[in-house]
Amino acid sequence: MAENLMDKIVSLCKRRGFIFQGSEIYGGLANTWDYGPYGVELKNNLKRAWWKTNVQERNDILGMDCAILMHPGVWEASGHVHNFFDLKSDCKNCKKRFKSADLKDTAKCPECSGELTKARPFNLMFKTYQGPVEETGNQIHLRPETAQGMFVNFLNILDSRHPKLPFGLAQIGKSFRNEITPGNFTFRTREFEQMEIEYFVKPQDADQALEEWIQLRFDWYLALGMKSQNLRKRQHGKDELAHYAHACMDVEYNFPFGWAELEGVANRSDFDLKQHAQYSGKDLQYYDDTAKEKFYPYIIEPSGGVDRAVLAFLIDAYQEEQVNPSTRLRIDGEQSRTIKEDTRVVLKLNKELAPVKVAIFPLLRNRPEIVELAKKISRDLKKSFAAIYDDTGSIGKLYRRQDEVGTLYCVTVDVQTLEDKQVTVRDRDSMQQVRISIDKLKEYLVNQLS
Ligand code: ATP
């Protein structure tokens, strides 16, 4: 049943244009995914919501957008060259590769029972070369986290914006990790997007800031409509901590394959600033002009994955509903009829996340006056909302399609509209329909969506 749900999500994503297999016509490149028209809207809405909460609505967090390629010294200083690895074992028989942490028996292949090689470290950073000559001196890495771009700009931020502690930097961007065992659709991939905050605090305030941030980040998912029973917090054991972390708490989601990390909130201590100060030779201490002292702030880092969050919201919003005969779709007006709709698949994404807010249809595709009016209404609404016009199916099909992508309202122009200048507006969740006059339509939708 659980796996079944994941299959349904993957299939809906492809069928409706949320997420496609990467390079599909070439047989696909394993574990790469492309976001289609609805997927990119959902992803952008999620990123916008994160930016609004964490940058726009706060006085103490500043946004950034740093380069993916960074000076090789950054990864020496950050510890990623020497410490950012997973242990892996290969099966001598079937040649499959496993992450040692996932193995119950480190000697035996879990798939064919063949003999496994000894666990060997495997650095997760992607390497490439800068410039035309592929030699060691030109080797650089694709960033495995967005965080370092913010640490190396700490001085630039102090000098240009003069923020006082506590303050934060925030960034959304791509990161790359050569994961040994990617999988579970977009949950673990080698190229993914992160939303990260580096929040600088006085060392003595770090423990409390960690507690506050884990709660803030937990509440953010709830505020965007995620079901509370599918979310939990989990404290990391000492043996799980990353090389830079003093403490870490995760926000976990109950995925169909089990509870797994959606976002981590770590206390990175003063590790990163101290390391960059040492390797760059620059003074990266903060000067407190009240206490007249210099020190390295501690860093609390809420770090979430965009793709994981999109996947979790899709899973959370997916519903199959038995439609009660009395609430079956009814189109009023001259063309009055009832369309059978016994089960419907509906994505109950919240208002902020839904990729389309309103869809506009003509009831009859062969009546130019109706089609023209529907197109005109959609042109007008597009100025204010994510709206689409669709006339490529019967009205029942169009409703079903929009339910599957989570569209909040459907507006139908019918024969009666030509006379009374009213349209039928159908609510995704209640499936209730109301007649609204065209000149009040925008105001009605603004009220519903605000
Ligand atoms: P995991 O234990 O699942 O490998 P992590 O603890 O290594 O994750 P972090 O380094 O804390 O992950 O990265 C912060 C966030 O970035 C994660 O919570 C996750 O949402 C996202 N993320 C990390 N690695 C991947 C990946 N390979 N694919 C998709 N998202 C990822």
Side-chain angles (χ1 to χ4, degrees), residues 18 30 32 52 68 91 109 129 137 179 186 199 218 221 228 248 269 307 311-312 332 334 394 400 422 449:
F18 278 93
T32 61
K52 183 166 176 286
I68 287 173
C91 174
C109 173
Y129 296 92
E179 299 276 2
T186 54
Y199 199 71
F218 188 86
Y221 291 99
S228 58
C248 189
S269 72
D307 312 84
L311 179 59
D332 292 317
E334 199 179 294
S394 68
R400 253 193 304 283
Q422 291 189 341
L449 292 167

Side-chain angles (χ1 to χ4, degrees), residues 90-96 109 112-116:
D90 297 312
C91 174
K92 291 182 181 169
N93 181 40
C94 72
K95 311 292 177 214
K96 284 222 168 103
C109 173
C112 75
S113 300
E115 192 193 340
L116 289 177

